Amino acid sequence: MAIPDKFLWGGSISAAQCEGGWDEGGKSPVQVDFGDPGSTTDIRWIHYLNADGTRGKMRQFDHLPQGAKYQLFDDIRYTNHVGIDFYHRYKEDIALFAELGFTTFNTTISWARIYPHGVEGGVNQEGVEFYRNVFKECRKYGIDPVITLYKYDEPVYLEETYGDWTNREMIHQFVEFARVCFTEYKDLVDKWLTFNEIDSIIRHPFMTGGLIESRFKPEEFEEVEYQAMHHQFVASALAVKITHENIPDAKVGCMLTKLTYYPYTCKPEDVLEQQQRMRQIYCYSDTQVHGEYPKYLLQMYKNKGFNIKMTDEDLEIMKKYPVDFISFSYYSSSCVAADTKGLEMSAGNTVTAIKNPHIPSSDWGWQIDPIGLRISCVDLYDRYRKPLFIVENGLGAKDTVEADGSINDDYRIDYLREHIRQMYKAIEEDGVELMGYTTWAPIDLLSNSTNQMSKRYGFIYVDVDDYGNGTYKRSKKKSYDWYKEVIATNGSSILDD
């Protein structure tokens, strides 16, 4: 028993959560550069200056008041300014990934390093060379990188200048950013993702699309979100076009937050609620895979009276340049019901839903459901019949460093083992075409949902706390050698026992 040959094994990180070097190498600020843990370690605060000159702060997923501007204050510690210092330590980290046996590695390119002040400000060559060096370092070890263009870290300049993705100008700005990446790295990268979890713009419009809710009437904001999403769909399709023109053999994928829902009971009302909820997830990948809006989404626009401005050229571009494969994140599953009164709720990846009494939960309340990964693979492959790539799957947990320096994270091993086993069943028993699997994350990083280092995912421990205090020294956890063996045996070490 083993995973098919040429399967890609590795891990995923992002620039915004790892890189640091926030003001080095010509980079301009991005949204997370204005955030710190605040008074508690489970909330990120974004700091700003009000129009009257007074200080303000907001929760991570809220919005700036009218007239407010992003502002840095010297007396506040911004943990993202350093992250885990990947900017200076990427060679060390990639060497550790290579020792693990990685055949692939997913990370992001920070838009703010390539075009710090938009197209009009020109290309920052120092930023271009930084990523070239990262990708060359990967290739040196035989690691085939999968690179994401957009993950919540476009320059704040674009938000302040154009209002971000509410403005069609953002299509042009993104396409030119993508063009530089495809031109500069065509000999180093042949697998690309356009927008990370493009669907999250509806759940987290500020982080995902730079949308500032207070600048719109409450009754029109939902329409604004879908208009911004349309601009991202067009930008993504144009990125597929440019990729294929510059790198003919390259593959471009979409990236979906795979929120898997079960009906809480077999009552028809609960089953219908689950079906409707899943449509809210699939409408984004339906659009990017099939190259056109699904009729049920257009019907929703009509029923709500939305007037989403889209040109015939937009629709032609989307139809002509669909994605080549589907990548997705999967962490947990949830339940839904038509009536949630009296039911216990549970946290999850970007959502809160009904707790499933039949499965356990992590330290942060995310429910652990390995079979849900198999279900997700089957659902996606049956729906699209295109290759899949699992680019995020992992367990955020509190790790303890023992007196001898060891970190015995058996809970992480258990989580990943059972998910990989279910992944194998999806391939071997269900006929799913799966390109690869990258864990989130191979090295500890700042959790985007909480801005915490103490919510750790990695096989590699980073000695830094929630406030950025520590040596930043890297050390291997017990799971490091375990995952190394999984990769070395192409999965057979855990499939045969």
Side-chain angles (χ1 to χ4, degrees):
M1 294 175 64
I3 304 295
D5 292 339
K6 298 184 179 179
F7 188 82
L8 294 171
W9 291 97
S12 291
I13 64 171
S14 79
Q17 294 163 269
C18 286
E19 216 167 77
W22 75 283
D23 62 349
E24 298 181 57
K27 180 181 178 291
S28 67
V30 298
Q31 290 167 336
V32 294
D33 290 327
F34 296 86
D36 83 301
S39 57
T40 61
T41 57
D42 62 351
I43 296 172
R44 176 185 292 154
W45 298 99
I46 301 292
H47 294 264
Y48 59 85
L49 193 68
N50 284 305
D52 62 4
T54 58
R55 287 194 188 192
K57 67 177 181 177
M58 63 175 183
R59 282 179 179 265
Q60 172 177 257
F61 295 128
D62 290 342
H63 50 82
L64 293 171
Q66 190 72 27
K69 295 285 185 181
Y70 288 97
Q71 183 70 40
L72 298 171
F73 299 103
D74 292 338
D75 59 339
I76 296 171
R77 181 185 294 274
Y78 300 94
T79 49
N80 281 89
H81 284 185
V82 179
I84 62 167
D85 200 26
F86 183 79
Y87 185 72
H88 297 105
R89 296 171 180 255
Y90 71 89
K91 289 187 178 181
E92 174 188 358
D93 292 341
I94 292 172
L96 285 166
F97 300 157
E99 186 183 341
L100 270 167
F102 278 17
T103 55
T104 192
F105 169 52
N106 172 236
T107 188
T108 62
I109 294 175
S110 176
W111 192 343
R113 285 203 189 278
I114 306 300
Y115 273 118
H117 300 96
V119 174
E120 53 271 33
V123 174
N124 173 36
Q125 197 59 36
E126 193 170 349
V128 171
E129 293 307 315
F130 169 72
Y131 291 110
R132 190 191 315 282
N133 291 334
V134 170
F135 304 152
K136 286 173 69 175
E137 196 71 13
C138 289
R139 289 293 183 182
K140 182 176 81 174
Y141 293 105
I143 297 173
D144 180 11
V146 176
I147 302 304
T148 304
L149 290 173
Y150 181 88
K151 188 166 185 176
Y152 320 150
D153 63 348
E154 79 270 18
V156 163
Y157 167 86
L158 295 177
E159 181 178 308
E160 295 182 333
T161 305
Y162 299 111
D164 230 306
W165 285 97
T166 57
N167 193 327
R168 280 191 68 91
E169 170 61 22
M170 288 296 290
I171 299 174
H172 168 66
Q173 293 283 336
F174 179 82
V175 166
E176 293 309 306
F177 159 58
R179 192 187 308 278
V180 170
C181 295
F182 301 145
T183 302
E184 294 288 346
Y185 310 129
K186 62 183 179 181
D187 296 327
L188 295 167
V189 180
D190 62 6
K191 297 176 186 64
W192 298 87
L193 306 178
T194 55
F195 287 78
N196 176 81
E197 296 183 341
I198 194 168
D199 49 282
S200 64
I201 195 170
I202 305 302
R203 296 186 301 278
H204 306 305
F206 180 74
M207 286 297 293
T208 311
L211 308 185
I212 299 176
E213 190 172 352
S214 61
R215 296 178 182 173
F216 303 92
K217 296 177 182 177
E219 63 272 18
E220 69 183 17
F221 189 64
E222 187 179 8
E223 181 178 338
V224 168
E225 293 174 310
Y226 283 102
Q227 182 67 65
M229 185 180 70
H230 173 73
H231 294 156
Q232 291 191 347
F233 281 147
V234 177
S236 178
L238 285 169
V240 174
K241 174 181 183 291
I242 298 167
T243 309
H244 290 162
E245 290 173 349
N246 283 272
I247 322 170
D249 295 330
K251 300 296 182 185
V252 187
C254 60
M255 202 288 207
L256 174 71
T257 315
K258 187 59 184 76
L259 302 175
T260 296
Y261 294 110
Y262 305 136
Y264 189 70
T265 73
C266 57
K267 291 191 299 186
E269 293 85 354
D270 288 355
V271 175
L272 178 62
E273 178 67 23
Q274 183 265 353
Q275 183 185 66
Q276 295 297 319
R277 196 73 68 92
M278 291 309 303
R279 273 185 156 189
Q280 294 172 20
I281 303 304
Y282 287 136
C283 63
Y284 313 100
S285 46
D286 281 354
T287 302
Q288 292 188 285
V289 174
H290 298 307
E292 60 187 10
Y293 284 109
K295 290 184 179 179
Y296 63 84
L297 184 57
L298 295 176
Q299 187 66 37
M300 186 270 281
Y301 291 167
K302 179 181 178 180
N303 293 343
K304 292 194 173 188
F306 290 171
N307 179 26
I308 307 301
K309 297 178 177 62
M310 53 182 80
T311 68
D312 290 341
E313 184 182 8
D314 289 347
L315 300 178
E316 182 181 347
I317 289 167
M318 290 166 60
K319 184 65 176 177
K320 194 172 181 180
Y321 302 106
V323 294
D324 303 310
F325 66 94
I326 301 95
S327 72
F328 63 99
S329 61
Y330 175 85
Y331 293 93
S332 60
S333 64
S334 302
C335 293
V336 294
D339 182 4
T340 62
K341 185 177 180 181
L343 298 178
E344 185 178 357
M345 307 302 285
S346 177
N349 182 21
T350 76
V351 296
T352 299
I354 299 167
K355 186 173 183 178
N356 187 333
H358 303 290
I359 55 178
S361 300
S362 73
D363 291 339
W364 273 265
W366 295 23
Q367 297 212 266
I368 299 172
D369 179 16
I371 294 175
L373 177 59
R374 180 181 178 181
I375 292 169
S376 299
C377 287
V378 171
D379 281 353
L380 287 169
Y381 192 67
D382 284 357
R383 193 177 187 97
Y384 300 125
R385 299 190 182 184
K386 285 193 175 186
L388 306 181
F389 200 124
I390 302 168
V391 291
E392 290 187 27
N393 175 235
L395 177 69
K398 297 175 182 177
D399 293 334
T400 300
V401 181
E402 304 295 344
D404 62 357
S406 63
I407 302 161
N408 299 308
D409 56 338
D410 294 279
Y411 39 85
R412 183 167 293 109
I413 292 171
D414 292 342
Y415 175 96
L416 294 172
R417 179 196 298 113
E418 296 311 311
H419 281 77
I420 293 171
R421 283 173 170 169
Q422 293 298 325
M423 176 185 78
Y424 170 79
K425 289 181 179 181
I427 297 169
E428 185 65 21
E429 298 181 24
D430 303 318
V432 172
E433 184 180 358
L434 199 59
M435 297 167 57
Y437 173 84
T438 52
T439 66
W440 184 270
I443 187 169
D444 292 344
L445 42 61
L446 283 166
S447 172
N448 189 60
S449 60
T450 64
N451 205 40
Q452 291 177 278
M453 280 298 305
S454 55
K455 186 179 183 182
R456 297 179 181 273
Y457 284 88
F459 308 116
I460 302 164
Y461 185 88
V462 180
D463 180 31
V464 60
D465 68 13
D466 291 334
Y467 291 92
N469 303 307
T471 66
Y472 290 85
K473 179 182 177 181
R474 275 64 166 152
S475 57
K476 300 172 184 176
K477 305 176 189 178
K478 183 177 181 179
S479 58
Y480 184 96
D481 289 330
W482 173 84
Y483 194 50
K484 182 178 180 179
E485 179 70 10
V486 170
I487 296 174
T489 63
N490 202 27
S492 65
S493 63
I494 61 171
L495 298 175
D496 291 338
D497 60 9

